[in-house]
Amino acid sequence: MSRPDIPADIRRAVLVEAGHRCAIPRCNQTELDVHHIVPWADCQKHEYSNLIALCPICHRRAHLGDIDRKSLFIYKQNLAKEFGRHDNGSFQAEAVEIKRRLKEVNVNSPGFQFQFDFPDFPNPVERIVSRNIEAWGLELLAQFQDGQSHWDDNLEELPEHFHNWPARLSGDYEITRRDERLISIRYTVDTYYPGAAHGGRATRVLNYTLSPFRPVTLEYLLGDLIRLPALADLVRQHLSDTGQYTDWWLNSGTEPTEDHFSLFIILQHGVLFIFPEYRIASYAEGEQSIFIDFRELNEICNAEALEDISTLDEDYI
């Protein structure tokens, strides 16, 4: 099978965990690869717990066996402890109450207005979550800066009406769950680009277990994407039971693809799956969602993942 790219959230988490430096103690190189401790050929998965940031030299040494797998796993386990010990607590974003804000205004043509808020968690492990979200916000800001650089370099090509319509982005969040096991955050990102007929709104979710720290992806939740059709059947049945959706919308919007089910937040007693506009209902009906109890997910999801994210007793789930 062809090897897919490492998902951006997982890659970012691996790099932030290592402080954007090689994870081998005292190496400190900043040119980095993301290495599979158990080789891709054997695992065929991009799991956070199996990925570590290495410089090209250490990466090559790992492939040659000079740095063995057991050592790599030990270095991986120590990263969260080291992060909390050495993080100086300073962010690039200014503090706004108990959250932080990335903000930039560009007054050129068409210019842009950028504001992205994220939580400032004090606990050492939770700070890795804050760092991951800040890194995502900086990626979004870089996209706006790159777009403006393009217009700055091609000012003569800029349509007249663009001068009065700056690009805009606003990122707001809601912490839907935060406890000793997990942090789940739901983002609303509103964007407007010069020349567009209207703005766009997108929901983004961020789920992290804290002990051990890892991003909760759909693949981790299920254990294996081969279980995706069973999840799709369960979600489709719940949606059908509401009587709100036509068969055509449900059949097309709940096909067992990773894209259809990767948008979810983890609550105290189950998982809320979110569907953007046009996925299972018309644009006018807006975003849709359906809640699935942990007990119903017990037969479908990875038992280890459910244990990591559930607040319920084993007898309950």
Side-chain angles (χ1 to χ4, degrees):
M1 63 180 289
S2 61
R3 174 171 163 173
D5 293 337
I6 298 173
D9 285 350
I10 293 181
R11 182 179 182 84
R12 186 187 305 115
V14 171
L15 295 175
V16 170
E17 171 192 60
H20 285 80
R21 293 182 179 275
C22 181
I24 304 302
R26 291 181 293 280
C27 177
N28 284 327
Q29 293 298 310
T30 56
E31 181 183 352
L32 299 174
D33 302 327
V34 175
H35 172 67
H36 291 76
I37 301 175
V38 175
W40 165 263
D42 296 333
C43 65
Q44 302 284 299
K45 292 181 179 180
H46 295 311
E47 291 187 317
Y48 170 81
S49 58
N50 188 47
L51 296 171
I52 190 168
L54 299 177
C55 72
I57 294 175
C58 291
H59 195 178
R60 184 167 64 251
R61 292 178 64 203
H63 279 294
L64 292 173
D66 293 342
I67 307 175
D68 61 32
R69 294 183 194 176
K70 184 175 181 180
S71 297
L72 289 171
F73 277 120
I74 291 173
Y75 296 147
K76 172 78 175 178
Q77 292 168 5
N78 287 336
L79 285 173
K81 301 174 186 176
E82 291 297 315
F83 187 95
R85 188 176 303 145
H86 297 295
D87 184 38
N88 62 14
S90 64
F91 288 84
Q92 293 186 44
E94 62 176 307
V96 180
E97 297 178 346
I98 59 170
K99 59 186 176 183
R100 296 201 174 246
R101 174 171 294 165
L102 287 165
K103 186 175 181 179
E104 185 169 323
V105 176
N106 186 294
V107 298
N108 294 342
S109 293
F112 64 80
Q113 299 169 5
F114 183 95
Q115 180 174 302
F116 179 89
D117 292 346
F118 64 96
D120 183 359
F121 295 126
N123 178 280
V125 176
E126 291 181 324
R127 289 190 79 76
I128 303 180
V129 176
S130 295
R131 292 293 187 185
N132 273 273
I133 301 174
E134 182 184 38
W136 171 42
L138 290 169
E139 290 172 8
L140 295 176
L141 176 57
Q143 293 172 14
F144 268 60
Q145 293 168 335
D146 289 344
Q148 183 61 43
S149 294
H150 168 77
W151 291 121
D152 289 343
D153 294 338
N154 299 275
L155 193 59
E156 295 180 358
E157 301 177 11
L158 186 65
E160 184 64 29
H161 65 281
F162 274 38
H163 291 277
N164 299 318
W165 298 98
R168 296 192 297 273
L169 182 143
S170 175
D172 300 296
Y173 67 90
E174 173 192 6
I175 300 173
T176 57
R177 178 176 158 190
R178 180 189 176 199
D179 53 39
E180 70 280 357
R181 287 175 177 259
L182 181 135
I183 291 177
S184 184
I185 302 174
R186 180 175 184 164
Y187 259 89
T188 301
V189 179
D190 288 303
T191 54
Y192 186 92
Y193 294 101
H198 54 76
R201 168 168 288 189
T203 295
R204 175 78 177 268
V205 296
L206 301 162
N207 301 296
Y208 300 94
T209 60
L210 299 179
S211 183
F213 174 81
R214 74 165 78 219
V216 180
T217 62
L218 181 64
E219 184 172 15
Y220 176 66
L221 183 66
L222 293 176
D224 194 319
L225 290 178
I226 198 172
R227 299 175 181 172
L228 187 51
L231 176 64
D233 288 342
L234 176 62
V235 171
R236 188 182 303 116
Q237 184 59 55
H238 273 263
L239 291 167
S240 179
D241 289 345
T242 67
Q244 299 177 23
Y245 308 100
T246 66
D247 290 341
W248 183 88
W249 279 110
L250 284 185
N251 291 336
S252 63
T254 60
E255 290 182 352
T257 66
E258 191 171 358
D259 181 59
H260 283 172
F261 293 94
S262 292
L263 204 59
F264 61 85
I265 54 175
I266 303 169
L267 304 177
Q268 291 291 333
H269 301 297
V271 178
L272 185 76
F273 289 92
I274 302 167
F275 298 90
E277 295 90 343
Y278 290 126
R279 182 63 55 81
I280 61 172
S282 68
Y283 180 82
E285 293 175 271
E287 187 178 85
Q288 305 290 306
S289 61
I290 195 73
F291 176 81
I292 307 294
D293 192 285
F294 283 137
R295 292 172 299 183
E296 295 182 85
L297 293 170
N298 193 37
E299 297 299 320
I300 297 173
C301 292
N302 177 21
E304 178 187 351
L306 281 183
E307 184 178 350
D308 285 344
I309 68 178
S310 175
T311 58
L312 307 176
D313 294 333
E314 288 187 8
D315 292 341
Y316 184 73
I317 63 172

